[in-house]
Amino acid sequence: MAEFLTDVHALRDRARSEMMDGPVTAAYGADLPRVIEMLNTALATEIVCTLRYRQHHYMAKGLNSEPVAQEFLEHSNEEQGHADLLAARIAQLGGTPDMDPARVVGRSHAEYVPAADLKQMIQENLVAERIAVATYTEMITWLGDGDPTTKRILETVLAAEEEHADDMLSFLEN
C-alpha cells in the first residue's frame, strides 16, 4: 500500500503556491475543462426542464389536472435546484456557468416541448426525464473517481431524475 500523504512540508508549500486554484489541487483526477463543459451541458438541460415543467404547470387543464399541475410545479422547482447545484459547482471549479439563453437550448439534451394536452405534457416530461437519467448515468461513469464531489452532486441529481420519471410514469399508468 502506498504512503497516505506526501511530505507534509511539500504539501504545505504546494498549497501556498497554488492557493489561487481554490479547491482544485494536484490530487484532482479529472479533465477539468471537460468536466466544466459537461456540467454546463447538464446546466442547460436543467434550465430547459425547469422552463418546460413550469410552462406545463400553467397550461395543465381538464379533469384531474390539478394534482398533475402541482407535480409539474414541484418538479420545476427541483430542476431549478439542480441547476443551482451545477452552476455552483462550475464556479467552484473555476469555470463560468453558461446561462446565455441563446446557447442553452442548443446545449440541452432535453427539448422544450410545450405539448397540446395533459397526456402529451406527461409524456414529454417522461421522455426528458429518461434522457436525464441516461445522461447523468453516463456522466457519473465517465467521471469515475476523478472528481468525487462532482460525482456525488450528479448522483444526487440522478436519484431525483429517476424519481421524476417514476412520477410521470405513474400518471400515465393511472
Side-chain angles (χ1 to χ4, degrees):
M1 181 179 224
E3 290 296 316
F4 179 67
L5 291 176
T6 57
D7 172 6
V8 71
H9 297 292
L11 189 62
R12 290 174 184 159
D13 290 343
R14 190 176 327 127
R16 287 186 187 289
S17 69
E18 298 171 357
M19 79 172 88
M20 295 311 292
D21 290 341
V24 180
T25 68
Y28 187 82
D31 181 342
L32 185 59
R34 284 186 68 197
V35 169
I36 290 170
E37 179 183 339
M38 175 190 74
L39 290 173
N40 266 313
T41 298
L43 175 60
T45 301
E46 295 297 334
I47 291 169
V48 167
C49 289
T50 298
L51 295 172
R52 187 191 58 257
Y53 268 124
R54 187 65 50 126
Q55 196 267 351
H56 289 175
H57 165 73
Y58 289 111
M59 297 309 297
K61 304 283 185 237
L63 293 174
N64 300 317
S65 65
E66 186 57 32
V68 177
Q70 284 308 112
E71 194 72 19
F72 289 162
L73 180 60
E74 180 181 316
H75 287 202
S76 176
N77 291 334
E78 289 172 2
E79 302 291 358
Q80 181 60 56
H82 300 162
D84 293 340
L85 282 171
L86 295 167
R89 183 61 179 159
I90 292 165
Q92 187 178 49
L93 291 173
T96 301
D98 187 354
M99 298 181 191
D100 183 333
R103 291 189 299 270
V104 165
V105 172
R107 277 196 336 271
S108 173
H109 287 178
E111 297 175 295
Y112 181 91
V113 180
D117 59 43
L118 192 58
K119 183 176 180 182
Q120 187 182 14
M121 290 176 193
I122 295 167
Q123 290 170 334
E124 290 300 330
N125 287 312
L126 178 54
V127 166
E129 295 298 354
R130 289 179 51 78
I131 290 167
V133 167
T135 300
Y136 284 117
T137 300
E138 185 176 334
M139 289 175 178
I140 291 164
T141 301
W142 177 77
L143 265 177
D145 294 328
D147 181 340
T149 301
T150 298
K151 184 177 180 179
R152 277 194 311 277
I153 290 168
L154 296 177
E155 288 170 340
T156 298
V157 174
L158 172 61
E161 302 298 1
E162 289 173 344
E163 182 181 322
H164 292 175
D166 190 52
D167 292 343
M168 293 300 107
L169 182 60
S170 292
F171 282 131
L172 283 179
E173 292 174 341
N174 297 324

